[in-house]
Short mmCIF file of all heavy atoms in Angstrom, two decimals:
data_model
loop_
_atom_site.label_atom_id
_atom_site.label_comp_id
_atom_site.label_asym_id
_atom_site.label_seq_id
_atom_site.Cartn_x
_atom_site.Cartn_y
_atom_site.Cartn_z
N TYR A 196 36.84 76.43 39.05
CA TYR A 196 37.94 76.98 38.26
C TYR A 196 39.28 76.40 38.73
O TYR A 196 40.12 76.02 37.91
CB TYR A 196 37.96 78.51 38.36
CG TYR A 196 39.19 79.11 37.75
CD1 TYR A 196 39.33 79.19 36.36
CD2 TYR A 196 40.25 79.53 38.54
CE1 TYR A 196 40.50 79.69 35.79
CE2 TYR A 196 41.41 80.03 37.98
CZ TYR A 196 41.54 80.11 36.60
OH TYR A 196 42.68 80.59 36.05
N LEU A 197 39.47 76.30 40.04
CA LEU A 197 40.74 75.77 40.57
C LEU A 197 40.94 74.31 40.14
O LEU A 197 42.04 73.92 39.74
CB LEU A 197 40.79 75.90 42.09
CG LEU A 197 40.84 77.34 42.62
CD1 LEU A 197 40.78 77.36 44.15
CD2 LEU A 197 42.08 78.09 42.13
N TRP A 198 39.87 73.53 40.17
CA TRP A 198 39.95 72.14 39.69
C TRP A 198 40.43 72.11 38.24
O TRP A 198 41.29 71.31 37.86
CB TRP A 198 38.59 71.45 39.73
CG TRP A 198 38.31 70.61 40.95
CD1 TRP A 198 37.21 70.70 41.74
CD2 TRP A 198 39.09 69.51 41.47
NE1 TRP A 198 37.27 69.75 42.74
CE2 TRP A 198 38.41 69.00 42.60
CE3 TRP A 198 40.30 68.92 41.10
CZ2 TRP A 198 38.89 67.93 43.36
CZ3 TRP A 198 40.79 67.85 41.87
CH2 TRP A 198 40.08 67.38 42.97
N ARG A 199 39.83 72.96 37.42
CA ARG A 199 40.18 72.96 36.00
C ARG A 199 41.67 73.28 35.82
O ARG A 199 42.34 72.71 34.98
CB ARG A 199 39.31 74.00 35.28
CG ARG A 199 39.04 73.68 33.85
CD ARG A 199 37.80 74.40 33.33
NE ARG A 199 37.94 75.83 33.28
CZ ARG A 199 37.09 76.69 33.86
NH1 ARG A 199 36.05 76.25 34.53
NH2 ARG A 199 37.28 77.99 33.75
N GLN A 200 42.17 74.21 36.65
CA GLN A 200 43.57 74.59 36.51
C GLN A 200 44.50 73.49 37.02
O GLN A 200 45.56 73.25 36.46
CB GLN A 200 43.86 75.92 37.23
CG GLN A 200 43.01 77.06 36.73
CD GLN A 200 42.90 77.11 35.21
OE1 GLN A 200 43.91 77.09 34.51
NE2 GLN A 200 41.69 77.15 34.68
N ILE A 201 44.11 72.81 38.09
CA ILE A 201 44.90 71.68 38.58
C ILE A 201 45.05 70.66 37.45
O ILE A 201 46.14 70.17 37.16
CB ILE A 201 44.25 71.06 39.84
CG1 ILE A 201 44.46 72.01 41.03
CG2 ILE A 201 44.82 69.68 40.13
CD1 ILE A 201 43.76 71.57 42.30
N ASP A 202 43.94 70.39 36.75
CA ASP A 202 44.02 69.44 35.63
C ASP A 202 44.91 69.97 34.51
O ASP A 202 45.63 69.20 33.88
CB ASP A 202 42.61 69.12 35.11
CG ASP A 202 41.87 68.19 36.08
OD1 ASP A 202 42.55 67.45 36.81
OD2 ASP A 202 40.63 68.23 36.12
N ARG A 203 44.88 71.27 34.30
CA ARG A 203 45.77 71.85 33.27
C ARG A 203 47.24 71.65 33.63
O ARG A 203 48.06 71.38 32.78
CB ARG A 203 45.51 73.35 33.13
CG ARG A 203 44.17 73.70 32.53
CD ARG A 203 44.36 74.30 31.15
NE ARG A 203 43.15 74.17 30.36
CZ ARG A 203 42.16 75.06 30.36
NH1 ARG A 203 42.26 76.14 31.10
NH2 ARG A 203 41.10 74.87 29.60
N TYR A 204 47.56 71.82 34.92
CA TYR A 204 48.95 71.61 35.35
C TYR A 204 49.31 70.13 35.20
O TYR A 204 50.39 69.79 34.75
CB TYR A 204 49.16 72.05 36.80
CG TYR A 204 49.11 73.55 37.00
CD1 TYR A 204 48.30 74.12 37.99
CD2 TYR A 204 49.89 74.41 36.23
CE1 TYR A 204 48.27 75.49 38.20
CE2 TYR A 204 49.85 75.78 36.42
CZ TYR A 204 49.04 76.31 37.41
OH TYR A 204 49.00 77.67 37.60
N LEU A 205 48.37 69.27 35.59
CA LEU A 205 48.66 67.83 35.55
C LEU A 205 48.82 67.33 34.12
O LEU A 205 49.63 66.45 33.86
CB LEU A 205 47.56 67.04 36.27
CG LEU A 205 47.53 67.22 37.80
CD1 LEU A 205 46.31 66.53 38.39
CD2 LEU A 205 48.82 66.69 38.44
N ASN A 206 48.05 67.92 33.18
CA ASN A 206 48.20 67.43 31.80
C ASN A 206 49.16 68.28 30.96
O ASN A 206 49.23 68.12 29.74
CB ASN A 206 46.84 67.21 31.12
CG ASN A 206 46.11 68.52 30.86
OD1 ASN A 206 46.73 69.58 30.75
ND2 ASN A 206 44.80 68.46 30.75
N GLY A 207 49.89 69.17 31.63
CA GLY A 207 50.97 69.89 30.95
C GLY A 207 50.55 71.08 30.11
O GLY A 207 51.36 71.65 29.39
N GLN A 208 49.28 71.51 30.19
CA GLN A 208 48.85 72.69 29.42
C GLN A 208 49.27 73.99 30.10
O GLN A 208 49.28 75.03 29.47
CB GLN A 208 47.34 72.69 29.24
CG GLN A 208 46.85 71.62 28.28
CD GLN A 208 45.34 71.67 28.17
OE1 GLN A 208 44.62 71.59 29.17
NE2 GLN A 208 44.85 71.81 26.96
N ARG A 209 49.56 73.92 31.41
CA ARG A 209 50.11 75.07 32.13
C ARG A 209 51.32 74.59 32.91
O ARG A 209 51.42 73.40 33.23
CB ARG A 209 49.08 75.64 33.13
CG ARG A 209 47.97 76.43 32.51
CD ARG A 209 47.09 77.06 33.61
NE ARG A 209 47.74 78.21 34.25
CZ ARG A 209 47.18 78.91 35.25
NH1 ARG A 209 45.99 78.57 35.74
NH2 ARG A 209 47.82 79.96 35.77
N VAL A 210 52.20 75.53 33.24
CA VAL A 210 53.37 75.20 34.06
C VAL A 210 53.19 75.86 35.42
O VAL A 210 53.08 77.07 35.53
CB VAL A 210 54.67 75.71 33.40
CG1 VAL A 210 55.86 75.37 34.29
CG2 VAL A 210 54.83 75.09 32.02
N HIS A 211 53.17 75.03 36.45
CA HIS A 211 52.92 75.51 37.81
C HIS A 211 54.15 76.19 38.36
O HIS A 211 54.10 77.31 38.86
CB HIS A 211 52.52 74.30 38.66
CG HIS A 211 51.94 74.63 40.00
ND1 HIS A 211 51.68 73.67 40.93
CD2 HIS A 211 51.56 75.80 40.56
CE1 HIS A 211 51.17 74.25 42.02
NE2 HIS A 211 51.09 75.53 41.81
N ASP A 212 55.28 75.48 38.28
CA ASP A 212 56.52 76.00 38.86
C ASP A 212 57.67 75.58 37.94
O ASP A 212 57.98 74.40 37.83
CB ASP A 212 56.69 75.40 40.27
CG ASP A 212 58.00 75.81 40.93
OD1 ASP A 212 58.76 76.58 40.32
OD2 ASP A 212 58.25 75.34 42.05
N GLU A 213 58.26 76.57 37.28
CA GLU A 213 59.32 76.28 36.30
C GLU A 213 60.47 75.49 36.92
O GLU A 213 61.19 74.79 36.21
CB GLU A 213 59.87 77.58 35.70
CG GLU A 213 59.02 78.15 34.59
CD GLU A 213 58.46 79.53 34.96
OE1 GLU A 213 59.05 80.19 35.83
OE2 GLU A 213 57.43 79.93 34.37
N ASN A 214 60.68 75.64 38.22
CA ASN A 214 61.81 74.96 38.87
C ASN A 214 61.48 73.55 39.33
O ASN A 214 62.30 72.91 39.99
CB ASN A 214 62.29 75.77 40.08
CG ASN A 214 62.63 77.18 39.68
OD1 ASN A 214 63.28 77.39 38.66
ND2 ASN A 214 62.16 78.15 40.45
N ASP A 215 60.26 73.09 39.02
CA ASP A 215 59.84 71.78 39.51
C ASP A 215 59.27 70.94 38.38
O ASP A 215 58.06 70.87 38.19
CB ASP A 215 58.78 71.96 40.63
CG ASP A 215 58.16 70.64 41.06
OD1 ASP A 215 58.82 69.59 40.87
OD2 ASP A 215 57.03 70.67 41.56
N PRO A 216 60.15 70.30 37.60
CA PRO A 216 59.67 69.50 36.46
C PRO A 216 58.81 68.32 36.91
O PRO A 216 58.04 67.77 36.11
CB PRO A 216 60.97 69.03 35.77
CG PRO A 216 62.05 69.18 36.79
CD PRO A 216 61.62 70.26 37.74
N GLU A 217 58.91 67.93 38.18
CA GLU A 217 58.14 66.79 38.68
C GLU A 217 56.66 67.14 38.85
O GLU A 217 55.80 66.28 38.83
CB GLU A 217 58.68 66.30 40.03
CG GLU A 217 60.16 65.92 40.03
CD GLU A 217 60.43 64.69 39.20
OE1 GLU A 217 59.55 63.81 39.17
OE2 GLU A 217 61.50 64.62 38.56
N GLU A 218 56.35 68.39 39.04
CA GLU A 218 55.01 68.88 39.33
C GLU A 218 54.48 68.37 40.67
O GLU A 218 53.98 67.26 40.78
CB GLU A 218 54.02 68.57 38.19
CG GLU A 218 52.59 69.05 38.44
CD GLU A 218 52.48 70.51 38.88
OE1 GLU A 218 52.61 71.39 38.03
OE2 GLU A 218 52.27 70.76 40.10
N LEU A 219 54.61 69.26 41.65
CA LEU A 219 54.16 68.98 43.01
C LEU A 219 52.77 68.36 43.08
O LEU A 219 52.52 67.43 43.86
CB LEU A 219 54.19 70.31 43.78
CG LEU A 219 53.51 70.34 45.15
CD1 LEU A 219 54.35 69.58 46.15
CD2 LEU A 219 53.30 71.78 45.61
N LEU A 220 51.84 68.84 42.24
CA LEU A 220 50.45 68.39 42.34
C LEU A 220 50.30 66.90 42.05
O LEU A 220 49.30 66.29 42.43
CB LEU A 220 49.55 69.22 41.41
CG LEU A 220 49.45 70.70 41.77
CD1 LEU A 220 48.75 71.48 40.67
CD2 LEU A 220 48.72 70.89 43.10
N ARG A 221 51.27 66.30 41.36
CA ARG A 221 51.23 64.87 41.08
C ARG A 221 51.35 64.02 42.34
O ARG A 221 51.04 62.84 42.32
CB ARG A 221 52.39 64.48 40.16
CG ARG A 221 52.07 64.66 38.72
CD ARG A 221 53.14 64.07 37.81
NE ARG A 221 53.36 64.99 36.71
CZ ARG A 221 52.42 65.32 35.84
NH1 ARG A 221 51.22 64.78 35.93
NH2 ARG A 221 52.67 66.18 34.88
N GLU A 222 51.83 64.62 43.41
CA GLU A 222 52.03 63.84 44.63
C GLU A 222 50.74 63.52 45.35
O GLU A 222 50.72 62.77 46.31
CB GLU A 222 52.95 64.61 45.60
CG GLU A 222 54.37 64.71 45.09
CD GLU A 222 55.23 65.58 45.98
OE1 GLU A 222 54.88 65.78 47.16
OE2 GLU A 222 56.26 66.08 45.48
N PHE A 223 49.62 64.09 44.90
CA PHE A 223 48.35 63.92 45.61
C PHE A 223 47.33 63.19 44.75
O PHE A 223 47.31 63.35 43.54
CB PHE A 223 47.79 65.29 46.01
CG PHE A 223 48.82 66.14 46.69
CD1 PHE A 223 49.48 67.13 46.00
CD2 PHE A 223 49.15 65.91 48.02
CE1 PHE A 223 50.45 67.89 46.61
CE2 PHE A 223 50.13 66.67 48.63
CZ PHE A 223 50.78 67.67 47.94
N ASN A 224 46.46 62.42 45.42
CA ASN A 224 45.36 61.80 44.67
C ASN A 224 44.17 62.77 44.66
O ASN A 224 44.20 63.83 45.30
CB ASN A 224 45.01 60.42 45.25
CG ASN A 224 44.59 60.50 46.71
OD1 ASN A 224 43.93 61.47 47.12
ND2 ASN A 224 44.96 59.51 47.49
N ARG A 225 43.11 62.39 43.93
CA ARG A 225 41.97 63.30 43.76
C ARG A 225 41.33 63.66 45.10
O ARG A 225 40.88 64.76 45.31
CB ARG A 225 40.88 62.69 42.87
CG ARG A 225 41.29 62.27 41.49
CD ARG A 225 41.86 63.36 40.65
NE ARG A 225 40.90 64.27 40.06
CZ ARG A 225 41.26 65.29 39.27
NH1 ARG A 225 42.54 65.50 38.99
NH2 ARG A 225 40.36 66.09 38.76
N GLU A 226 41.30 62.67 45.99
CA GLU A 226 40.67 62.91 47.28
C GLU A 226 41.44 63.96 48.07
O GLU A 226 40.85 64.88 48.64
CB GLU A 226 40.60 61.59 48.05
CG GLU A 226 39.70 61.66 49.26
CD GLU A 226 39.73 60.37 50.07
OE1 GLU A 226 40.12 59.32 49.51
OE2 GLU A 226 39.37 60.43 51.26
N GLU A 227 42.75 63.83 48.06
CA GLU A 227 43.59 64.81 48.79
C GLU A 227 43.46 66.20 48.17
O GLU A 227 43.36 67.20 48.88
CB GLU A 227 45.05 64.35 48.79
CG GLU A 227 45.28 63.11 49.65
CD GLU A 227 46.65 62.48 49.42
OE1 GLU A 227 47.15 62.45 48.27
OE2 GLU A 227 47.23 62.00 50.41
#
Side-chain angles (χ1 to χ4, degrees):
Y196 171 76
L197 294 176
W198 264 128
R199 209 158 66 234
Q200 302 316 308
I201 286 175
D202 286 333
R203 291 249 158 88
Y204 289 130
L205 290 173
N206 69 24
Q208 289 179 305
R209 285 185 75 181
V210 179
H211 193 188
D212 176 1
E213 279 118 22
N214 305 315
D215 172 24
E217 303 293 325
E218 179 50 77
L219 169 73
L220 295 170
R221 274 189 221 299
E222 292 174 21
F223 310 100
N224 60 36
R225 303 302 282 181
E226 193 184 339
E227 291 168 322

